[in-house]
Amino acid sequence: TKDQPKSMVDVHGRPFLAWQLDLLRRQGVTDVVLCVGHLADAIARHFGDGSAFGVRLRYSDEGERRLGTAGALRWAQALLEEAFFVMFGDSYLLFDFRAIMEHFLARDRLALMVVHRNENRWNRSDVAVEEGHVTAYAATPRPGMVHINAGLSVLRRAALETIASQPSASLQDLYATLIPQRQLLAYETRQRFCEVGSLAVLEEFRRLVAEGG
């Protein structure tokens, strides 16, 4: 996608982001903030304020700042609710969003990660879970890591304060500050997630859409 954002990759005549917005609307998520940067104009021109897609879209444009995934959320902080979902721009997640948010709000924690029991089947497992909390999330395998980040999180705005002093920060950086404090809940799903980060999985997603998934 050298000349276009991954969000604009064609899937059966529509940008991938249009399928994501359909999914979110069906789940009752209609207020969406897009954290954008490089090639953002292509997204804004196509999607506008989101009304044509049944949602309210607002944009947080980091330009060429390269703030990192968590830094981009901090940049968008004024647009965010007290508790909000975080989803990657290349993920399509057939989860029960309402149940996940209810689980989170019933517990006094700063963040939640949806995890899938992977056991190295789809990708290398990189998450350890104990008693409903994420206890490790690392690129280097460790004993007890049988889960994988399923691509959906819930955060409170207050969680972003833990990286306030860092000019650039990833979500992994953010989680690293929360895990030792037992502030990162784990919500296990048996539903395998779908993303379009490679040509192979993009074709898999196209098949899913063609089959009405």
Side-chain angles (χ1 to χ4, degrees), residues 44-157:
R45 282 196 304 270
H46 187 91
F47 289 94
D49 65 2
S51 56
F53 299 86
V55 299
R56 178 195 184 201
L57 280 183
R58 289 176 292 169
Y59 299 85
S60 176
D61 190 347
E62 68 180 58
E64 301 299 327
R65 293 178 181 84
R66 300 294 186 268
L67 300 174
T69 45
L73 293 174
R74 188 178 54 207
W75 187 258
Q77 193 165 352
L79 302 177
L80 303 175
E81 297 291 337
E82 192 276 329
F84 55 94
F85 289 109
V86 179
M87 187 169 77
F88 295 122
D90 60 0
S91 297
Y92 189 83
L93 308 173
L94 296 170
F95 303 158
D96 187 338
F97 282 58
R98 186 179 299 277
I100 293 167
M101 182 60 81
E102 289 176 351
H103 181 90
F104 176 68
L105 294 178
R107 291 155 178 82
D108 185 20
R109 294 293 185 271
L110 290 176
L112 175 149
M113 178 192 291
V114 179
V115 298
H116 178 70
R117 193 175 183 91
N118 176 61
E119 299 188 26
N120 294 322
R121 285 175 295 177
W122 312 114
N123 288 298
R124 185 176 45 76
S125 298
D126 57 3
V127 177
V129 174
E130 292 178 15
E131 299 178 349
H133 290 78
V134 174
T135 56
Y137 179 42
T140 304
R142 298 180 187 176
M145 284 186 168
V146 297
H147 291 83
I148 194 167
N149 182 353
L152 183 69
S153 299
V154 186
L155 297 178
R156 298 187 193 274
R157 279 203 313 265

Side-chain angles (χ1 to χ4, degrees), residues 12 31 173:
H12 296 296
D31 194 350
D173 295 330

Side-chain angles (χ1 to χ4, degrees), residues 4-11 14-17 42-43 46-47:
Q4 64 177 343
K6 275 194 286 187
S7 294
M8 296 301 294
V9 168
D10 182 83
V11 178
R14 308 174 73 208
F16 175 70
L17 179 56
I43 299 173
H46 187 91
F47 289 94

